Amino acid sequence: MVEELVTAGVALAAFGAVYVVAAARVVKQYERGVVLRLGRLASEVRQPGFTMIVPGVDRMRKVNMQIITMPVPAQEGITRDNVTVRVDAVVYFKVVDAADAVIRVEDYRFAVSQMAQTSLRSIIGKSELDDLLSNREKLNQGLELMMDSPAIGWGVTVDRVEIKDVSLPETMKRSMARQAEATRDRRARVINADAELQASKKLSEAAAAMSDQPAALQLRLLQTVVAVAAEKNSTLVLPFPVELLRFLERSGLQAQAQTVQAQEERSQRAAAADGEAREGAGDAAGALEDGMLAAPAELPDLPPVDGLDVGRGAGSG
């Protein structure tokens, strides 16, 4: 009797161990467990941790709740302005309701992938080439709205959609390159013209200032010579400036005029002194004999007066 009880106990323990092993399940932190009992959804979604199911009756399916990154295959289409492009994208989505993701859709990953491809083709047909190249944020928002509306019913929410690359035909690339080159050439021409205009205004102001002071032009020439002479790998040929010749000519004319004026003043002073000497010839005869008459201080080199000799002869007679 005791042996039978021991055998039954061992058998029961073994059955319990087998049952526990068959019924035990572990749900990870980023997963949720959806239990189907005899084909029907159980009312409770199993949370992360250790859980038990009924072997042979319950079937549990684990659903990943992490954000899933899914690349969208490149889609070729024609834009609204009749340009053939090839666009690929990437979709970020996650499951928010594990029960709906299992019950309402057969394979939510495949469904999201197909929906992303069709939405991307629709966006290509509704957009222009310039929007695809420069206004991607708006297109990304449009893709997200188009995909998020049906995905909510599957227990999935689209977190973000990004257009990765837009491939263009080679002919279109060359045309765009020529257009960009022409635009930059136009900007360069406008900038150069504006610079020439500003430089011409400054040069005219400098020329006006130098015309008032001719020596400023010579100083500017010397500064240019100094700047060029700083590089010792070149030979400097300095022409003789015409302005310097004019400056020297004006200086010579001024010196000649001053010399002529000085000679005329000396001649006038000599003529005046000669007249005074002739008028006072009689009175000056006695003073000349005594040696008291001196020549004026301001006229040290007066010419000899002929009247003085005549007076001296008259006095002596």
Side-chain angles (χ1 to χ4, degrees), residues 77-300:
I78 300 176
T79 61
R80 193 167 61 180
D81 50 353
N82 298 324
V83 178
T84 303
V85 295
R86 190 177 180 86
V87 183
D88 58 351
V90 59
V91 182
Y92 302 90
F93 67 96
K94 64 180 179 179
V95 177
V96 294
D97 193 336
D100 290 342
V102 174
I103 301 299
R104 293 181 177 273
V105 64
E106 180 181 3
D107 187 353
Y108 66 89
R109 289 175 179 264
F110 181 74
V112 171
S113 176
Q114 295 299 314
M115 182 179 57
Q117 296 180 31
T118 55
S119 300
L120 185 58
R121 282 179 173 272
S122 178
I123 285 293
I124 293 174
K126 294 179 181 179
S127 304
E128 295 183 356
L129 180 61
D130 293 339
D131 295 334
L132 289 175
L133 296 177
S134 61
N135 198 10
R136 293 190 179 182
E137 294 183 358
K138 184 178 180 180
L139 298 180
N140 293 337
Q141 294 177 359
L143 275 173
E144 183 178 348
L145 291 176
M146 292 178 64
M147 296 178 59
D148 197 26
S149 299
I152 292 177
W154 304 337
V156 178
T157 179
V158 178
D159 186 69
R160 191 177 182 85
V161 182
E162 291 286 345
I163 295 177
K164 293 173 59 177
D165 187 23
V166 178
S167 300
L168 299 175
E170 293 298 329
T171 56
M172 180 58 65
K173 290 181 180 179
R174 289 194 294 268
S175 299
M176 294 177 66
R178 289 195 298 268
Q179 180 183 2
E181 184 179 359
T183 302
R184 292 185 178 274
D185 190 16
R186 178 179 60 84
R187 292 179 181 176
R189 290 176 182 272
V190 171
I191 293 173
N192 290 333
D194 191 13
E196 291 293 338
L197 178 60
Q198 295 179 4
S200 62
K201 291 182 179 179
K202 295 299 181 181
L203 289 175
S204 63
E205 294 178 0
M210 290 182 180
S211 62
D212 296 336
Q213 297 292 335
L217 183 60
Q218 304 303 321
L219 295 176
R220 186 69 185 93
L221 178 61
L222 294 176
Q223 290 178 356
T224 305
V225 172
V226 171
V228 174
E231 299 293 336
K232 298 181 180 181
N233 56 358
S234 60
T235 302
L236 178 62
V237 178
L238 181 63
F240 199 73
V242 179
E243 288 77 6
L244 183 59
L245 293 177
R246 294 176 180 176
F247 176 75
L248 295 176
E249 183 180 0
R250 286 195 298 268
S251 299
L253 292 176
Q254 291 178 358
Q256 184 178 1
Q258 292 177 359
T259 302
V260 172
Q261 184 178 2
Q263 290 179 356
E264 291 178 353
E265 291 178 355
R266 290 180 60 183
S267 300
Q268 292 177 0
R269 287 196 298 269
D274 190 9
E276 292 178 357
R278 289 180 180 181
E279 291 177 357
D283 297 335
L288 289 174
E289 290 177 357
D290 298 335
M292 297 298 296
L293 182 60
E298 66 276 9
L299 297 174

